[in-house]
Amino acid sequence: MFVSLRFERNFATSEANIIMNAAIAIDFVETDNQRLVSQMIRDFGLREIKPMMMEWDEQQIFPIDLFRKMGALGLMGVLVPEEYGGAGFGYLEYITAISEISKIDGSIGLSMAAHNSLCSNHLLQFGNKEQKRKYLPKLATGEWIGAWGLTEPNTGSDSGNMRTTGVRDGDHYIINGAKNFITHGKSGNLAVVIVRTGEPGNSRGMTSFLIEKGTPGFTSGKKENKLGMRASETAEMIFSDCRVHQSQRLGLEGEGFVQAMKVLDGGRISIAALSLGIAIGAYEAALSYSKERHQFNQPISKFQGIAFKLADMATKIEAARLLTFRAGDLKDKGLDVTRESAMAKLFASEVAVEVANEAVQIFGGYGYTKDFPAEKYYRDAKLCTIGEGTSEIQKIVISRSILR
Ligand SMILES: Cc1cc2nc3c(=O)[nH]c(=O)nc-3n(C[C@H](O)[C@H](O)[C@H](O)COP(=O)(O)OP(=O)(O)OC[C@H]3O[C@@H](n4cnc5c(N)ncnc54)[C@H](O)[C@@H]3O)c2cc1C
């Protein structure tokens, strides 16, 4: 079902930014790696996720042991090179993995995405050799869970205005403040945290640090009680005179915000993949139900009103799939994907919400109950239009790149 796309464009000059004129060749080939990843996750999901997922959802349990098992399969270090204990794959395999997991349970997909493409990827892109050697093998094998802290209670979309500060004190920085809505804010063993080290309003006034759980002055706060994605832990991280040695700094002082924006370019491809998986899961459930459910002496799929819904759902999913794999393909080629990842995230997340909504409709009253999967897809999907930049923020990113 999954395809990898090879997009070849004429990048003779900086026309990489003018997509309307770019020559794009598309080659639909599913790689062996993608097939293997899909099959492995389907088997794993049936065995390890499906039997437990509603209990995790209802009780808001973050199933930490599951992530250790996923680590053993390479799913916690998909993009991490083999020399650091990862699977050493590219974005096409990564998108395949995130969407396959999210077809089963979006909240496991969200946690996998935050661990892989926010925490580990920030370290991979901006850490020095010593930092990578120290932490990546632990993260890639799932021995440690990663978190990434940018958002604060008063600064979400406007994250550049953050209040958490890091003040130099000899070889250390003293960190004070709080980050909220952080995936694995409680259970994360290592957090990449972006704090203000310069003047407010200066995008070069922020710096990122690697902070281990248990560092004095670093505690967790409230765990959120959420609408969906309930097996993915979302919690506050609190810093109170937390001393962090300068060797834990990622890159140079002042680079933190710029690093975070680059990390989000890849992160948004993750959320597009997460959205794609949720949309496919909801669609497949609705499709099979529509063939089984009879009303007026025939399957409801025979009604044009239902068949047209399925046609719209399938078409939107294909478009979301193309945008997502396209962004991944460009990312694998080392090209700038700020606009493409924002487009993929915007479109795929809105599609996930629309498709999950229609799935509930096709299930009728049963779609409104916990006995069928539609309601969970519906609840989980909504996060995709919010996390890692809302749909409105994606439109700002896209329109800026078009209008500059
Ligand atoms: C389950 C979950 C997991 C998360 N995980 C993480 C994580 O691991 N790490 C992390 O750092 N953050 C995380 N977040 C935070 C997430 O990235 C933010 O919630 C998101 O960026 C939006 O910020 P906000 O919630 O403060 O909303 P706000 O910024 O307050 O936005 C409120 C509304 O105003 C709109 N808005 C804001 N500015 C503009 C504008 N300029 N133009 C038009 N509309 C605008 C928004 O689109 C939105 O509709 C997570 C959030 C959730 C819910």
Side-chain angles (χ1 to χ4, degrees), residues 101-272:
I101 281 274
S102 309
K103 253 166 84 174
I104 305 163
D105 186 340
S107 58
I108 305 303
L110 175 63
S111 273
M112 183 182 155
H115 174 97
N116 276 279
S117 67
L118 295 181
C119 181
S120 300
N121 222 26
H122 197 135
L123 172 55
L124 190 60
Q125 282 190 63
F126 301 106
N128 59 35
K129 272 220 162 94
E130 204 177 314
Q131 291 166 335
K132 288 182 196 177
R133 266 197 226 113
K134 185 170 177 192
Y135 293 118
L136 279 177
K138 288 190 167 80
L139 291 167
T141 53
E143 185 189 339
W144 277 23
I145 302 291
W148 190 79
L150 177 68
T151 305
E152 297 185 2
N154 293 312
T155 54
S157 302
D158 187 15
S159 56
N161 235 335
M162 64 179 63
R163 311 277 164 84
T164 299
T165 53
V167 177
R168 239 189 197 285
D169 181 28
D171 291 345
H172 287 76
Y173 289 81
I174 313 292
I175 299 184
N176 278 292
K179 297 282 171 184
N180 79 331
F181 291 147
I182 306 306
T183 304
H184 316 143
K186 248 185 202 318
S187 302
N189 303 89
L190 180 72
V192 172
V193 183
I194 300 102
V195 308
R196 174 159 298 293
T197 47
E199 289 304 306
N202 178 3
S203 63
R204 296 269 164 191
M206 286 158 272
T207 306
S208 51
F209 293 93
L210 290 157
I211 309 184
E212 289 184 27
K213 186 177 184 169
T215 304
F218 173 26
T219 51
S220 58
K222 183 186 167 211
K223 177 176 168 176
E224 302 297 340
N225 183 5
K226 307 195 299 288
L227 168 73
M229 301 292 196
R230 288 171 58 82
S232 176
E233 177 189 276
T234 313
E236 193 182 17
M237 299 192 302
I238 300 165
F239 302 93
S240 179
D241 287 334
C242 176
R243 281 174 75 80
V244 177
H245 193 263
Q246 61 183 11
S247 61
Q248 297 297 93
R249 194 182 64 214
L250 284 159
L252 298 175
E253 193 172 302
E255 287 181 350
F257 189 69
V258 178
Q259 290 175 2
M261 294 304 110
K262 288 194 177 139
V263 169
L264 283 174
D265 283 348
R268 285 170 182 158
I269 299 175
S270 288
I271 303 299

Side-chain angles (χ1 to χ4, degrees), residues 264-265 268-269 327 337-346:
L264 283 174
D265 283 348
R268 285 170 182 158
I269 299 175
V337 291
T338 302
R339 176 174 51 200
E340 285 78 4
S341 63
M343 285 176 167
K345 198 264 182 192
L346 169 66

